[in-house]
Amino acid sequence: MNTKEIKKTEEEYFINTFSRQPIVLDKGHGATVYDKDGNKYTDFFAGIAVNNLGHTHPKVVEAIKTQSEKLIHISNIYYNEPNVILGKKLVDLTCLDKIFFSNSGAEANEGAIKLAIKYTGKTEIIAMKNSFHGRTIATLTATGQDAYKKDYLENLPHGFKHAEFGDIESIKNQITDETAAIMIEPIQGEGGVNIPSKEFYKQLNKLCEEKEILLILDEVQTGFGRCGSMFAYEIFGIKPDIMTLAKAMGGGMPIGAILASDKVASAFSPGDHGTTFGGGPFVSAVANAAIDAIIEENLVNESKEKGEYFKDKLLKLKDKHSKIKEVRGMGLMIGIELKEPCSALVNKLREKGFLVNCTAGSVLRFLPPLVISKKEIDALIKVLNGVLE
Ligand SMILES: *Cc1c(COP(=O)(O)O)cnc(C)c1O
């Protein structure tokens, strides 16, 4: 099929849920992707913060080849070695003690909510305004953006409340005797790359401890080096009781996880939660390779260093262009808030060979692979400077 036929067929056969960019991506390597018509793009979106290793990373490809010839799926009725290795790896990498594997971020958050309710025996979760936690019914309810849930309001589960992100008083005001957990992204991604202060997280740790409320940290987007540390909780000194991961974890494979402290994890016994696909040998082997590659190639430091370089250049653009309201970011999770909607800019940049994203209406969001080069960053800055004029 050619580009036109692909687009037409999709339109005819698919449920209309995505407003897709009008290109068909066909192949890629590192931060470079090509469409069906042979046009070349530098990818500053990385499949929504999934391709931290870039496209078709050799270690990921090798693991796919090796494991796919050995064993792909067995269910959780049996043990599999790649999954046990992955579970130990993630527990050793984080501040938490126990793990459960899911297939996506939303599913990890669903499980986290169940675990918090089961452990505390309470009924309320306080999430943040402008947050994003997924598209399933419960995670949609936790999500603090009306646009995603306005058509389902009558059917959403009870027990979810929303406080102002970064505002400890607003959270305090929502706490009742029934509060099981506070659910929060360290940095809000879909909400517009919103970054609270370290002081806020210090107060939040204290509040949760005092009130014996669990802290569910959604690191689905911020994890695996994205923000310049392996996990964003390290930057802010956040002490989660439960943490969720997905996106970059599998090097492109659909896999997620719930991590919890020993104490909290002990609330689940066999039968309380489960999954058919979660933690299968294939996705686990690929995730092992992806995480090892992030560590071996020192990509966490690369993210921090190149993120600062990138942000610096964007701040210089801000001095030149009055359209830019603010530049904010950590590591290679960077947003520039414009004084106008940013979708036209996304189209212009794509036409000039750069894939970027617009979120929260007016925030141009950059989530490049951590393997992006400074040369590629320079090239984007040059083009962005041009299109802003
Ligand atoms: C993407 C995202 C999710 C949902 O993950 P899916 O894999 O799409 O279900 C949840 N939380 C955050 C912070 C995300 O960025």
Side-chain angles (χ1 to χ4, degrees):
M1 282 195 263
N2 64 30
T3 299
K4 213 174 135 197
E5 287 161 350
I6 292 167
K7 284 199 267 190
K8 192 165 164 285
T9 308
E10 194 266 5
E11 208 171 288
E12 205 176 320
Y13 287 89
F14 282 47
I15 297 178
N16 184 20
T17 56
F18 300 107
S19 46
R20 299 184 207 260
Q21 298 275 302
I23 53 174
V24 180
L25 295 180
D26 193 43
K27 58 185 181 186
H29 192 67
T32 304
V33 276
Y34 296 88
D35 69 16
K36 261 309 240 191
D37 301 316
N39 299 305
K40 182 182 170 184
Y41 304 91
T42 310
D43 188 358
F44 276 80
F45 193 38
I48 324 186
V50 168
N51 301 316
N52 283 11
L53 290 163
H55 296 274
T56 59
H57 188 286
K59 287 173 188 159
V60 171
V61 172
E62 181 57 38
I64 288 171
K65 285 183 181 162
T66 309
Q67 186 62 39
S68 67
E69 288 178 352
K70 203 172 169 197
L71 191 66
I72 295 173
H73 173 79
I74 54 164
S75 88
N76 282 298
I77 305 302
Y78 310 98
Y79 293 96
N80 82 76
E81 189 181 13
N83 190 233
V84 171
I85 290 171
L86 179 63
K88 180 176 186 307
K89 195 191 306 285
L90 284 166
V91 165
D92 290 347
L93 268 177
T94 62
C95 56
L96 293 162
D97 310 311
K98 289 277 161 66
I99 194 160
F100 175 91
F101 287 97
S102 68
N103 308 288
S104 67
E107 263 184 89
N109 284 335
E110 284 276 344
I113 293 164
K114 280 176 71 177
L115 180 59
I117 292 171
K118 181 95 200 289
Y119 174 78
T120 59
K122 294 183 177 181
T123 55
E124 287 176 4
I125 308 280
I126 302 171
M128 300 301 125
K129 290 182 186 166
N130 294 315
S131 62
F132 183 84
H133 296 294
R135 305 285 196 153
T136 62
I137 289 286
T139 62
L140 189 64
T141 314
T143 291
Q145 301 184 64
D146 289 342
Y148 293 108
K149 56 186 177 188
K150 59 182 188 321
D151 298 329
Y152 314 100
L153 291 177
E154 294 299 315
N155 296 77
L156 297 181
H158 67 88
F160 290 85
K161 298 162 134 196
H162 293 87
E164 294 293 336
F165 188 53
D167 180 344
I168 202 75
E169 289 307 316
S170 169
I171 295 174
K172 276 186 191 162
N173 289 338
Q174 301 276 5
I175 293 175
T176 70
D177 291 342
E178 275 305 313
T179 306
I182 291 164
M183 186 166 185
I184 196 165
E185 297 155 87
I187 297 175
Q188 291 184 333
E190 305 306 299
V193 192
N194 304 318
I195 310 174
S197 65
K198 275 191 188 168
E199 183 57 29
F200 165 71
Y201 279 118
K202 215 169 121 187
Q203 291 167 334
L204 186 61
N205 285 336
K206 199 163 149 243
L207 183 66
C208 288
E209 237 163 76
E210 273 171 19
K211 303 267 182 189
E212 292 182 22
I213 293 168
L214 298 182
L215 187 58
I216 304 174
L217 193 65
D218 180 344
E219 288 241 26
V220 168
Q221 186 161 152
T222 49
F224 299 102
R226 174 53 53 193
C227 301
S229 63
M230 187 53 94
F231 301 103
Y233 75 80
E234 301 162 43
I235 304 170
F236 296 101
I238 308 167
K239 296 181 193 142
D241 300 287
I242 304 175
M243 179 164 82
T244 53
L245 301 172
K247 290 207 161 91
M249 180 171 158
M253 296 303 112
I255 184 168
I258 309 166
L259 286 125
S261 66
D262 267 324
K263 201 171 74 175
V264 173
S266 69
F268 271 172
S269 348
D272 285 338
H273 199 49
T275 167
T276 299
F277 289 115
F282 180 69
V283 287
S284 297
V286 182
N288 276 320
I291 296 166
D292 289 349
I294 289 173
I295 296 167
E296 284 159 17
E297 293 172 25
N298 206 14
L299 292 180
V300 175
N301 276 335
E302 296 263 316
S303 169
K304 186 165 193 279
E305 205 236 322
K306 288 182 290 200
E308 275 161 21
Y309 178 84
F310 191 7
K311 208 167 90 177
D312 245 32
K313 299 236 156 180
L314 290 170
L315 282 165
K316 287 201 179 100
L317 281 189
K318 181 177 175 283
D319 292 339
K320 266 177 78 180
H321 299 279
S322 59
K323 276 182 193 167
I324 301 178
K325 194 170 153 195
E326 195 177 32
V327 175
R328 45 185 189 252
M330 281 201 171
L332 285 169
M333 182 171 184
I334 304 179
I336 57 180
E337 186 173 349
L338 300 172
K339 291 175 186 159
E340 57 188 56
C342 53
S343 50
L345 219 55
V346 169
N347 292 334
K348 280 187 194 159
L349 286 165
R350 188 190 61 250
E351 281 156 17
K352 294 188 181 298
F354 294 92
L355 303 183
V356 304
N357 168 253
C358 171
T359 195
S362 60
V363 179
L364 202 60
R365 181 170 50 156
F366 304 99
L367 301 164
L370 311 185
V371 298
I372 193 100
S373 68
K374 286 185 182 168
K375 216 172 117 196
E376 287 164 321
I377 293 171
D378 290 344
L380 170 95
I381 293 287
K382 193 163 163 237
V383 169
L384 184 59
N385 182 42
V387 299
L388 280 167
E389 269 155 22

